[in-house]
Amino acid sequence: MKFLNVLIAVVILLSISSCKDNEASKEVTSEPEMENQEKGGVQPFAEHIFSQFTNVRDFTVDKDETEAYFSLQSPARELSVIMKIEKKNNEWQDPEISSFSGQYTDLEPFLSPDNLKLYFVSNRPVSKDSTNTKDMDIWYVERSTKAEAWSKPKNIGAPINTDGDEFYPAVASNGNLYFTLIKEELESADDIYVSKWENNAYAEPTILGEGVNTKGAEYNAFIAPDESYIIFGGWRRPDAIGSGDMYISRSVNGEWTTAENLGETINSKYMEFCPFVNNGTLYFTSRRSSVESKENGFTNTEELISEINKYDNGASRIYHVEFRN
């Protein structure tokens, strides 16, 4: 009996010790999570993927955030290919070349709100029998369901595509297409236009108002699915924080309000561009840098290389931030 009492006492002590260890373990593992929550703000996206590259841009993702596309370019942009990543077991997998890309200069993918069309820009030949590349046109691929493969690329045609360059397509739920264009007769840099989807066809594009466009360059627009707001890039505006900032304009009674800078929480003293909003998250491309020199210089090679190879080291990479309109 005495032995049994001693045995019970030992078991109780071990149980108490185990509970305390578990509690301590929970406290230790919860601290980083709390730090991340408090840190907030702009964060690298899928760092294990995008830290491999020095020139990526144009991120677009499906509603469920299980399938995404982006442009991968060589440092000097001789190559530009649209890549695809998929999320499996809650982690983004290694990128693969999209089924419709890899041969020509392709960039600026944009998934439609229903995720059944993907628009992009390409210099590929319009004619199937030609090998001659063209100027930059807007193309698209489509599918009946997300489970199906993409169709062969289709040129969106006139009146959107012209003998000049068209860039950065963005489409609303009603099919209206927003894109960037330069018209020499306007004596302005890049401007943002819209072509309305009417009677199963695209209407002649019209330029957005002065709330969005200026004599300077406006580009890379994201249009809200309901067209309630538009986010776009503006180059060296008077209220700029960096060389290129992102701005937002809202549709009020059919007019675009004077665009507002998204502010220092999102924009940096470097260049931000290519916005895409999904499920309360703003994804965008940035060339921001936090690389710093040391007061007394570097003497440790490993430390120097680590500083140079930071995610935010001036390379063109993908970031994300909470965004509530």
Side-chain angles (χ1 to χ4, degrees), residues 72-83:
L72 173 60
Q73 298 180 321
S74 57
R77 294 182 289 185
E78 305 93 340
L79 301 176
S80 184
V81 177
I82 295 176
M83 307 294 289

Side-chain angles (χ1 to χ4, degrees), residues 126-162:
V126 174
S127 171
K128 295 180 180 178
D129 300 325
S130 174
T131 58
N132 296 323
T133 57
K134 191 181 179 295
D135 58 274
M136 303 308 290
D137 274 358
I138 294 175
W139 294 71
Y140 68 95
V141 290
E142 58 187 345
R143 58 192 179 188
S144 299
T145 67
K146 281 186 62 178
E148 295 185 11
W150 291 113
S151 67
K152 295 290 185 182
K154 302 176 183 181
N155 189 289
I156 206 166
I160 293 173
N161 289 330
T162 65

Side-chain angles (χ1 to χ4, degrees), residues 31-49:
E31 284 176 3
E33 295 176 0
M34 184 62 69
E35 288 174 2
N36 288 336
Q37 291 171 6
E38 290 174 354
K39 186 177 180 181
V42 172
Q43 300 290 325
F45 176 76
E47 188 170 354
H48 65 290
I49 292 175

Side-chain angles (χ1 to χ4, degrees), residues 5 17 28 36 40 64 87 93 96 142 147 164 170 201 227 231 255 272 286 293 295 297 319:
N5 290 338
S17 175
V28 170
N36 288 336
D64 300 330
K87 184 184 284 185
Q93 306 299 302
E96 297 179 351
E142 58 187 345
E227 295 180 293
I231 302 176
E255 300 289 334
E272 279 74 40
S286 176
S293 60
E295 184 176 353
Y319 295 82

